[in-house]
Amino acid sequence: MTSDSARFGHRWLPILLVLPLMILILLFFYAPVIQAFYWSFFLEQPFGGGSQFVGFDNFSRVLADPEFWRATWRTLIFMVTASALAVVLPLVLAIAADRQIRLSPVARNVLVWPKGVAGASIGVVFAFIFNPFVGILAPLNNWFPGLWAPGLDGVDAFITLIVAHVWSGIPFNFVILLAGLRAVPHTLYQAAALDGAGPWRRIRDLQLPLIAPQLFLTLVLEFTESITSVFALIDTITKGGPGGATTLLVYKIYADGFRGYDLSGASTQTVMLMIFVVLLAGCQFAFLGRRINYER
Amino acid sequence: MIENARSINIAASVILAIGIVYILGPLYLALTTASHSYQETLQNGLTWLPGDDLADNIRRLWVETRIPQQMANSLIVALGNAALTCVLSFLTAYALVWFRIRWASVVFALILATIMLPLDIRVITTYQVAANILSPVNALLDLTGLNSLISRFFGAPVQLELSILDTHIGLIVPLVAHGTGTFLFRQFFLTLPRDLFKAARMDGAGPLRFIWDILLPLSRTSVAALFVLTFLSGWTQYLWPLVGASTPEMQTAVVGLARLMPDNDGRMPDFPLMMAGAVIVSLIPLLMIALLQRFLVRGLVLTEK
């Protein structure tokens, strides 16, 4: 830390400066988090009919519900497949865009565009593009009837969600990974070339190890992002169907809370999802983070 | 450096071309579909060639739906989110970095924790708080026993109520309760030389003069980067505006667009109208990205550090 002489010494002014944001954060972040924990231990009546302490009853009720486990399992599958694709694809694109070729300035511009298109907007577009009757795969159904049926086949619906999610996730991951690649000193490439490493070899032995911090970071953020931002896609493309095949936890919590008026059940699942997300971030930093050398 | 890199350059070009088609393809198809009539889409399905009904579909969107009003809501929410986030997090980071305060690290940790749990996860109880933003005060009164004291003297406990659902403020403030901006400014302030401060003090600048004459001019690009980033985030929000506004008049454009999709009545949805909506609703943020790309990329990279 720097010496205290390089700071103002006011008593009340810093409090005044911090207060507005802190009030908002206490009110709209900490109060809801605390309330979710509170409600998970109470049976809450939907229309303000009072509440009753029930201990861990809500948790045992949720944990005994097979639908909860199915939604959790789907969330995990989506998280792993969608996140992997949403990091690997931008990685390949970033390595390609890092080369001095004619397309790379165009790509660097266009690949950021999805940042301006809401998940729900692109969900509406993909719902049309993958529509089995008028969409891009409709001709396929003329030759092989029923081959593409996202309205009936859960796997097809799942694929649609992943394609849309990866589309939305490209800008952030691409920009971060490209920035990482550009920060690699040019002299390292020259040294590797002198040692006889060709451009393909340099990707594996030089670029990938050196952008490990960025890869790690994008993966951490992408895990949480895939769990939460998928809501807009589900609500516009599949509505959780067919037959609940795309009802992920974040969608189930919304449906239980706002359509089923099961506030205690929804809060209990919220608590478990929050604990999972925090543990996930913690584990990744503890285990993965140690193996990465942050020094350049 | 001269070497034979033809094979990798060809591969890189092909990869970039595929990436560009993946991004632009859906947007292009939305545009071509928006330029056909409902009947044509019903008969021919998806077409790659533009038709001549774009103006008509946009006119229908303007007259038959609430998208225009909802676009105004989106603009208010996006601008409000961007402006409030920039101002509040700038002031907070300023206090944390440039003042001698013991609780700085505690406050920063409290703010940083918000990055871990996005609004979408805690939407159920955030909705409850927004339905009565004084409910934490009530809970505090209950917990401290003040309320039982009050009810003994006045006959009834205090139950304050103030809802911000269905208001623009209500759509904006839960988005502002987020730590990214403070984090971004703090990182930036820490890179500034401390001598700057000493020089300003020597010239007799107080805290306000320091922020106005020195810090703000230096942070212009950081502010612009955060502004673009939070504007886009405000415009593209979905779950919060979906539950935070219950009437079509208060909903944002993205929510209104999703509501154009009929609920499984067996009929083929009016895809040209919806694609016209998707294009129109995305126009302002896409223009912003095209024009202010520099700041957006800077903002994305800054939030990483």
Side-chain angles (χ1 to χ4, degrees):
Chain A
M1 281 318 270
T2 43
S3 68
D4 272 359
S5 67
R7 287 152 191 268
F8 291 110
H10 287 258
R11 284 187 80 83
W12 51 268
L13 188 61
I15 298 177
L16 219 63
L17 292 171
V18 169
L19 210 56
L21 187 66
M22 272 321 275
I23 288 178
L24 288 187
I25 283 180
L26 287 177
L27 199 55
F28 294 105
F29 182 83
Y30 285 100
V33 168
I34 292 168
Q35 182 145 45
F37 274 92
Y38 177 84
W39 274 359
S40 66
F41 290 104
F42 283 80
L43 191 60
E44 197 74 22
Q45 305 301 324
F47 298 106
S51 59
Q52 182 194 353
F53 182 74
V54 292
F56 282 95
D57 276 8
N58 289 323
F59 286 92
S60 48
R61 176 162 64 98
V62 167
L63 292 175
D65 179 10
E67 199 42 56
F68 169 77
W69 289 106
R70 277 197 283 273
T72 306
W73 182 235
R74 286 183 210 116
T75 304
L76 285 176
I77 293 178
F78 184 83
M79 187 183 90
V80 172
T81 51
S83 307
L85 281 172
V87 171
V88 169
L89 197 67
L91 172 67
V92 174
L93 287 166
I95 291 175
D98 191 37
R99 299 198 68 82
Q100 306 285 336
I101 50 177
R102 212 180 302 158
L103 265 183
S104 74
V106 185
R108 260 178 268 154
N109 190 314
V110 168
L111 292 179
V112 187
W113 288 18
K115 192 78 198 157
V117 182
S121 306
I122 203 60
V124 168
V125 173
F126 273 113
F128 165 65
I129 290 177
F130 286 124
N131 183 289
F133 306 108
V134 294
I136 200 167
L137 296 176
L140 215 63
N141 279 341
N142 289 339
W143 301 323
F144 311 99
L147 189 68
W148 179 257
L152 300 169
D153 185 347
V155 177
D156 291 355
F158 218 81
I159 292 172
T160 313
L161 286 185
I162 289 177
V163 171
H165 175 78
V166 173
W167 192 92
S168 296
I170 281 185
F172 181 76
N173 296 333
F174 174 77
V175 167
I176 299 298
L177 293 171
L178 187 62
L181 286 172
R182 313 218 107 188
V184 175
H186 204 69
T187 46
L188 282 181
Y189 290 125
Q190 290 164 336
L194 276 181
D195 287 346
W200 291 102
R201 177 81 193 270
R202 290 202 298 269
I203 292 177
R204 203 190 60 192
D205 287 349
L206 198 67
Q207 291 184 304
L208 284 183
L210 280 175
I211 59 162
Q214 279 81 10
L215 265 179
F216 168 62
L217 178 103
T218 47
L219 204 63
V220 172
L221 296 178
E222 184 58 42
F223 272 155
T224 319
E225 177 73 9
S226 67
I227 292 175
T228 55
S229 69
V230 72
F231 177 86
L233 301 175
I234 296 176
D235 201 41
T236 48
I237 301 178
T238 66
K239 300 254 178 229
T246 54
T247 301
L248 271 57
L249 262 186
V250 67
Y251 195 74
K252 182 168 155 39
I253 289 174
Y254 164 80
D256 286 357
F258 287 105
R259 297 211 193 111
Y261 298 108
D262 177 10
L263 293 178
S264 298
S267 295
T268 310
Q269 295 174 63
T270 300
V271 165
M272 289 196 271
L273 189 59
M274 288 195 297
I275 292 175
F276 174 70
V277 168
V278 171
L279 281 182
L280 195 68
C283 283
Q284 283 166 328
F285 275 109
F287 295 114
L288 269 172
R290 209 175 291 154
R291 288 186 14 216
I292 292 169
N293 185 12
Y294 281 88
E295 284 171 42
R296 278 251 167 80
Chain B
M1 193 161 69
I2 297 163
E3 68 175 340
N4 188 4
R6 247 194 95 186
S7 72
I8 196 169
N9 279 348
I10 291 173
S13 299
V14 171
I15 288 168
L16 288 184
I18 293 173
I20 292 172
V21 169
Y22 179 34
I23 298 303
L24 291 186
L27 299 177
Y28 175 78
L29 283 174
L31 195 61
T32 55
T33 307
S35 65
H36 288 278
S37 70
Y38 180 62
Q39 291 303 329
E40 282 171 332
T41 307
L42 219 51
Q43 281 163 13
N44 310 329
L46 176 148
T47 42
W48 290 89
L49 295 174
D52 44 14
D53 286 316
L54 182 63
D56 186 54
N57 283 324
I58 291 177
R59 185 194 57 76
R60 280 201 299 142
L61 196 72
W62 225 250
V63 179
E64 293 171 18
T65 72
R66 291 182 189 274
I67 291 286
Q69 190 184 357
Q70 291 165 338
M71 296 256 291
N73 290 338
S74 284
L75 201 61
I76 293 171
V77 170
L79 284 175
N81 181 33
L84 257 183
T85 304
C86 283
V87 171
L88 295 190
S89 47
F90 190 91
L91 294 179
T92 306
Y94 170 59
L96 292 181
V97 174
W98 300 99
F99 282 83
R100 209 177 305 141
I101 38 181
R102 261 191 227 120
W103 35 268
S105 54
V106 177
V107 167
F108 187 57
L110 282 175
I111 292 174
L112 209 57
T114 61
I115 294 176
M116 263 199 288
L117 296 173
L119 180 57
D120 289 7
I121 291 185
R122 52 197 161 84
V123 67
I124 297 279
T125 41
T126 305
Y127 176 85
Q128 299 302 325
V129 171
N132 179 11
I133 56 168
L134 296 176
S135 60
V137 178
N138 292 336
L140 273 182
L141 288 176
D142 284 342
L143 266 179
T144 51
L146 267 177
N147 242 351
S148 53
L149 207 69
I150 292 172
S151 65
R152 189 175 306 159
F153 284 105
F154 296 97
V158 176
Q159 284 299 326
L160 304 165
E161 248 191 90
L162 179 61
S163 166
I164 55 166
L165 292 174
D166 284 317
T167 65
H168 287 127
I169 292 286
L171 291 180
I172 294 169
V173 283
L175 307 180
V176 181
H178 197 271
T180 304
T182 310
F183 184 62
L184 189 148
F185 284 131
R186 183 178 174 273
Q187 297 300 96
F188 174 67
F189 291 162
L190 288 177
T191 64
L192 296 175
R194 284 280 152 176
D195 290 343
L196 206 65
F197 179 88
K198 288 179 184 157
R201 284 301 278 186
M202 238 174 258
D203 290 345
L208 292 179
R209 187 144 194 101
F210 182 65
I211 210 173
W212 194 253
D213 280 353
I214 294 169
L215 227 41
L216 259 181
L218 282 175
S219 341
R220 218 175 280 155
T221 38
S222 299
V223 173
L226 184 66
F227 191 91
V228 173
L229 213 59
T230 41
F231 180 93
L232 293 176
S233 141
W235 186 281
T236 55
Q237 285 291 325
Y238 182 66
L239 182 49
W240 178 248
L242 178 69
V243 301
S246 54
T247 60
E249 290 80 30
M250 277 309 298
Q251 276 167 353
T252 58
V254 172
V255 175
L257 171 67
R259 294 301 99 186
L260 290 181
M261 183 99 84
D263 286 327
N264 269 341
D265 57 355
R267 221 169 74 96
M268 186 62 71
D270 192 344
F271 281 126
L273 183 73
M274 288 166 54
M275 294 303 118
V279 170
I280 294 291
V281 167
S282 309
L283 213 54
I284 290 177
L286 278 179
L287 268 178
M288 197 162 182
I289 287 183
L291 295 176
L292 302 173
Q293 172 122 99
R294 192 162 66 90
F295 296 112
L296 174 64
V297 169
R298 196 184 149 77
L300 289 176
V301 173
L302 277 175
T303 50
E304 167 225 6
K305 294 224 170 92

